[in-house]
Amino acid sequence: MPETKVGTRLVALVGPGGAGKTSLAEALLFATGSIDRQGSVDAGNCVGDSSAEARARRGSTELNLMRFEFLGDRFAIIDCPGSVGFAADGALGIAAADVAVVVVDPDPGRALLAEPVLRQLEALGVPHLIFVNKIDQARGSIHELLQALQPMSASPLIARQIPITEGERITGFVDLALERAYHYRAGKPSERAEIPPELAETETAARYHMLEQLADHDDALLEQLLMDETPDLPTVLADLARETRENLGVPVLFGSALNGFGVRRLMKALRHEAPASSAAAERLGAKDGCAFVFKVSHGGAVGRLALARVFGGTLKEGAELKAPDGGHIRVGTLFAVQGDKTAKLPQAGVGDVVAIAKAETVRAGDWLGGGVRPEVELPATNYALAITTRDRKDDVRLSTALHKLVEEDPTLSWEQDEALHETRIKGVSDEHLNVTIARLKRRYGVAVDSRAPTVGYQESIRKPVTRRGRHKKQSGGHGQFGDVVIELEPLRRGEGFRFGERIHGGSVPRQYIPAVEQGVGDARLKGPLGFPVVDVAVTLTDGSYHTVDSSELAFRTAGRIAMSEALAAASPHLLEPVHKVTVFVPGYATSRVTSAVASRRGQMLGMAPREGWSRWDRIEALIPEAELQGLDAELRSLSQGLASYRAEFDHLSELNGKLAEDVVHRELEPA
């Protein structure tokens, strides 16, 4: 395709899950002739959502890349997942976009679902507009929807159209800038029509309101309105473009992606009003001739790919660019991406989105050639699962596969908990990790079983005790002999463990003291209640030895015996980890969420309005780790999927009574 002055413009499709972003991407491709048949998400035949996991759940589980050309201008699309478990996959891509289209449902009652993405775009400084999808299914008025959406946007919403209705159905629209009416035609361009007489007065008032909004940033237009003069069309169109490009206002258009309603009007708005790629380059501090990597992808026929956007010049295969570590990296084969299809490119131009092969050391968020990494806030990763391979021969393959999946997904992590002998994966939600497990099996042939991770209970003591530990064994030849006396005492919570000695007269030779400490440590790994022991101090005070039979092993065994007996006599008690939890919740669900926190043995610390958000609250509480399992799902069910939380370990708290008995019983009962 020929180079254009503005370069390829990158459009991010964002919004709540189920709003129809992938359907809109499909409609854009069909309307521009990039595909000859419009697929659907339900049928599983869209260009996007091509993975088995996405088609199984009929919703995006990763970002989709597409491209099209419209009236000689080139566009790339990043179709971003809307579900909270997968939304982070598109976060860096959104930061690199020239403009975002926020796709929303026409129901005013669901308007609140758009607030998180609107706040994200404002924080990143990405120009955006709103496309009200499924307009043919609307039951409320557009005016009511705008009233519901406005508190969630820092910039004024500018209605660019008013609907034409027949009965209860919306069958077309009046373009307020052009003062023209159009009737929808399924799969075809809208048909020009006369403005219905009954809408004339409404159209005049709506257009004047739009002009008043534009006049807030155009003194000449304001003067014209005050003088009752009618501004010319070029002035109006120029002001509308400026409002969008400079984030002064948020245009609102509507239509139906499945039927192709309003799609061509949206494309014209993008063509005339989306900023050139140079604006994003300036926002990101991009250097000339560089590329920003927004995702790493594995699993395709061409192997590992770095998905990147080109800024400031032409990028060719074999070019050398400055790497993030200060060295240089040679660019491998370049590919254009259309859904799950790739095609080799000889070179990439300004603004192009490409996949770069053989960039093994590159990570998502890296600049090749120089630039400033955007500050993207990712959702908290509170949900965890312990996994085990069904076939032990897959253990090595599991770590390799998890490494690749973590490279792709900024909200996925894994760790090997040596103390609890668990492999854990952490993510945003149960849905997120279930998809991860499905990918492990489909891509890498590694089947795993999963369960809730083990809670990190520990134990400590209430009183000091003194105990002797003696190990004596004679079995022919050299025997084993070790004898120690230790003092055990509790420490303040959080002080951990201390070991010392007050040996006089050589009752325990110096070379054996480290072995005693090792033995004490062995006993601390699993106390009398079955858990690691913390916040205790041990002092070696006395003992005896045999010149022939004593050894490091004997004194290690004696230390373990002394510690085990001392712990059992020192009033052991159970400690449970408690986390400080910060919940972000829309105000209408606050009371339900506080009740949910209380039902999980939560201790409220405070509540305040969420800064910068409309009618949201911030709740802080202390909740035991054992009660966090399933909290994210409960919060979502209480808040239309909007509430979220962040948790971090705060302290260990004593657990007594029936709850403690149940925990100890489960730990000590035979497997």
Side-chain angles (χ1 to χ4, degrees), residues 60-63 78 80-95 120 294-295 364 373 376-381 408-412 428 432:
S60 301
T61 56
E62 59 271 311
L63 63 81
I78 295 183
C80 302
S83 172
V84 64
F86 310 103
D89 197 54
L92 287 169
I94 293 171
Q120 178 188 28
F294 56 85
K295 181 177 171 64
R373 181 186 175 110
V376 174
E377 183 176 357
L378 299 176
T381 53
E408 288 187 359
D409 188 339
T411 53
L412 180 68
V428 177
H432 180 207

Side-chain angles (χ1 to χ4, degrees), residues 280-299:
E282 182 177 353
R283 184 178 74 242
L284 295 169
K287 311 295 184 184
D288 287 341
C290 65
F292 175 65
V293 178
F294 56 85
K295 181 177 171 64
V296 168
S297 174
H298 289 275

Side-chain angles (χ1 to χ4, degrees), residues 166-501:
E166 292 182 10
E168 294 186 355
R169 292 180 59 248
I170 294 176
T171 59
F173 66 94
V174 177
D175 187 303
L176 296 177
L178 302 177
E179 295 188 281
R180 296 174 186 169
Y182 295 89
H183 283 298
Y184 294 134
R185 297 190 300 169
K188 298 179 181 179
S190 299
E191 185 175 47
R192 176 85 178 270
E194 295 296 324
I195 297 177
E198 65 273 16
L199 276 183
E201 187 175 335
T202 302
E203 186 275 336
T204 299
R207 187 173 197 270
Y208 189 80
H209 178 64
M210 180 188 75
L211 294 176
E212 284 184 314
Q213 290 178 299
L214 299 180
D216 287 340
H217 305 106
D218 184 342
D219 292 340
L221 177 59
L222 176 61
E223 186 175 346
Q224 284 183 295
L225 295 182
L226 292 174
M227 299 296 292
D228 288 330
E229 297 177 5
T230 302
D232 59 33
L233 183 58
T235 297
V236 174
L237 295 178
D239 277 350
L240 286 169
R242 179 188 173 210
E243 294 280 316
T244 305
R245 292 171 182 168
E246 298 183 12
N247 271 322
L248 301 175
V250 181
V252 180
L253 305 171
F254 53 78
S256 169
L258 284 178
N259 296 297
F261 298 165
V263 172
R264 288 169 179 79
R265 182 66 195 90
L266 172 63
M267 290 191 298
K268 290 179 181 178
L270 294 173
R271 180 172 183 263
H272 292 293
E273 297 166 25
S277 60
S278 57
E282 182 177 353
R283 184 178 74 242
L284 295 169
K287 311 295 184 184
D288 287 341
C290 65
F292 175 65
V293 178
F294 56 85
K295 181 177 171 64
V296 168
S297 174
H298 289 275
V302 291
R304 186 183 193 274
L305 294 173
L307 307 183
R309 190 173 191 209
V310 179
F311 289 103
T314 300
L315 183 65
K316 297 182 179 180
E317 180 180 351
E320 282 200 355
L321 295 177
K322 185 178 178 181
D325 61 3
H328 286 80
I329 187 168
R330 185 179 295 276
V331 174
T333 305
L334 301 177
F335 295 92
V337 181
Q338 188 80 307
D340 62 347
K341 304 291 192 300
T342 56
K344 285 187 179 182
L345 289 175
Q347 63 182 39
V350 175
D352 280 349
V353 173
V354 296
I356 305 173
K358 297 181 181 178
E360 300 300 326
T361 60
V362 174
R363 301 290 180 265
D366 285 349
W367 280 93
L368 304 181
V372 179
R373 181 186 175 110
E375 294 185 9
V376 174
E377 183 176 357
L378 299 176
T381 53
N382 300 307
Y383 194 80
L385 288 174
I387 59 173
T388 53
T389 56
R390 293 177 185 170
D391 186 338
R392 296 303 299 270
K393 292 184 295 186
D394 287 337
D395 284 352
V396 174
R397 294 171 61 202
L398 174 64
S399 62
T400 301
L402 287 174
H403 175 74
K404 291 181 178 180
L405 290 176
V406 167
E407 270 198 318
E408 288 187 359
D409 188 339
T411 53
L412 180 68
S413 63
W414 73 285
E415 64 179 0
Q416 190 71 43
D417 191 313
E418 299 296 341
L420 297 173
H421 308 291
E422 286 182 348
T423 299
R424 294 184 181 184
I425 54 175
K426 290 189 67 177
V428 177
S429 65
D430 52 350
E431 183 182 45
H432 180 207
L433 294 190
N434 288 337
V435 166
T436 297
I437 289 172
R439 284 181 181 146
L440 277 172
K441 178 70 185 311
R442 178 178 63 87
R443 287 194 195 172
Y444 305 107
V446 179
V448 299
D449 293 315
S450 64
R451 59 172 175 78
T454 303
V455 176
Y457 292 107
Q458 300 186 44
E459 58 183 271
S460 192
I461 60 172
R462 290 193 177 92
K463 65 181 184 180
V465 297
T466 300
R467 282 294 183 274
R468 177 181 293 275
R470 173 175 289 191
H471 175 61
K472 183 177 182 181
K473 187 175 182 182
Q474 194 71 40
S475 56
H478 287 305
Q480 296 183 35
F481 181 84
D483 176 36
V484 298
V485 177
I486 63 168
E487 291 179 356
L488 174 67
E489 57 182 337
L491 295 176
R492 289 194 300 269
R493 190 75 64 241
E495 288 194 47
F497 171 70
R498 290 204 305 261
F499 180 85
E501 53 86 13

Side-chain angles (χ1 to χ4, degrees), residues 81-110:
S83 172
V84 64
F86 310 103
D89 197 54
L92 287 169
I94 293 171
D98 299 309
V99 66
V101 177
V102 183
V103 184
V104 301
D105 190 283
D107 180 2
R110 292 174 56 81

